[in-house]
């Protein structure tokens, strides 16, 4: 996924490396499919329970709080303006990242112990997210260290929520709500989404 993230915004033929990275990630994931676990269980989706609901409320609070903090940092109005069509894509991206990193990756790594799984999934997501911003447009300044620290720190919190709830839903609700509240009023996708 890091190879995909680094190369996805590059012109052809370098762009082919992104597709190769995505293919390798997909093939690695499919090797886990012929298990006794259901597809939902492989990605951390479990049945509803009071524990999942409680942690999901925590996720909603964390997502909303981080969105307000981010909008403040970016000197944007703290409250979301009119929703734009990109909000659907933003929510889908957040959901996909959580299903992959906190759901699938962390779930598969639990055989190393839950603490290691939380740390390694957070590191994997941080590497991917930071790699997306390696080659920004000339007029964009990215603070890669700050991005990595925040992504890793939030990843640890979301990983702990995934572990203690037994479900990916708390992490997913946090990330989806964050993306909706941060990007929901953007008229178009930011450069790192479509290049």
């Amino acid at each position: 996924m890091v190879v995909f993230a680094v190369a996805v915004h590059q012109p052809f033929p370098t762009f082919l490396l992104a597709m190769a990275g995505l293919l390798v990630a997909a093939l690695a994931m499919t090797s886990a499919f012929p298990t006794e676990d259901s597809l939902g269980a492989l990605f951390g989706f479990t049945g509803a329970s009071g524990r999942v609901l409680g942690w999901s409320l925590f996720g909603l609070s964390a997502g909303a709080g981080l969105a307000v903090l981010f909008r403040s940092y970016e000197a944007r109005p703290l409250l979301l303006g009119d929703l734009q069509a990109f909000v659907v894509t933003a929510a889908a991206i957040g959901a996909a990242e959580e299903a992959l990193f906190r759901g699938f990756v962390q779930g598969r790594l639990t055989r190393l112990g839950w603490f290691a799984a939380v740390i390694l999934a957070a590191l994997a997501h941080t590497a991917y997210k930071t790699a997306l911003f390696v080659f920004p447009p000339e007029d964009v300044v990215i603070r890669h260290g700050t991005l990595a620290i925040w992504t890793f720190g939030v990843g640890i919190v979301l990983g702990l929520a995934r572990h203690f709830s037994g479900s990916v839903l708390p992490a997913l609700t946090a990330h989806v709500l964050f993306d909706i509240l941060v990007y929901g009023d953007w008229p178009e996708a930011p450069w790192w989404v479509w290049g």
Side-chain angles (χ1 to χ4, degrees):
M1 289 302 296
V2 170
V3 171
F4 166 79
V6 167
V8 71
H9 303 300
Q10 301 305 307
F12 184 85
T14 307
F15 176 77
L16 293 176
L17 284 175
M19 297 301 100
L22 197 58
L23 179 63
V24 167
L27 291 173
M29 289 174 61
T30 59
S31 70
F33 289 170
T35 68
E36 64 262 7
D37 293 333
S38 69
L39 193 57
L42 277 173
F43 286 92
F45 294 97
T46 60
S49 69
R51 185 171 54 160
V52 172
L53 177 61
W55 279 99
S56 293
L57 292 174
F58 165 79
L60 290 171
S61 299
L66 287 170
V68 168
L69 184 66
F70 183 82
R71 289 179 75 90
S72 174
Y73 175 78
E74 292 287 314
R76 294 175 50 211
L78 296 184
L79 297 178
L80 183 66
D82 293 334
L83 287 179
Q84 302 294 316
F86 176 66
V87 71
V88 175
T89 303
I93 290 169
E97 286 183 8
E98 291 310 318
L100 175 62
F101 291 103
R102 243 64 66 191
F104 183 80
V105 172
Q106 184 174 326
R108 301 305 289 172
L109 292 174
T110 55
R111 62 181 64 128
L112 302 176
W114 72 267
F115 186 74
V118 168
I119 298 293
L120 292 172
L123 283 172
H125 184 238
T126 300
Y128 163 76
K129 184 66 79 173
T130 306
L132 276 176
F133 294 86
V134 167
F135 299 115
E138 289 182 21
D139 60 334
V140 176
V141 175
I142 302 294
R143 292 178 181 89
H144 293 94
T146 302
L147 174 65
I149 289 167
W150 274 96
T151 303
F152 182 71
V154 171
I156 294 294
V157 172
L158 296 180
L160 290 171
R162 193 263 200 252
H163 169 71
F164 288 114
S165 70
S167 173
V168 74
L169 287 176
L172 194 141
T173 57
H175 199 149
V176 167
L177 185 61
F178 175 85
D179 284 355
I180 288 171
L181 295 177
V182 167
Y183 304 115
D185 55 0
W186 286 31
E188 58 186 39
W191 65 267
W192 62 86
V193 174
W194 306 128

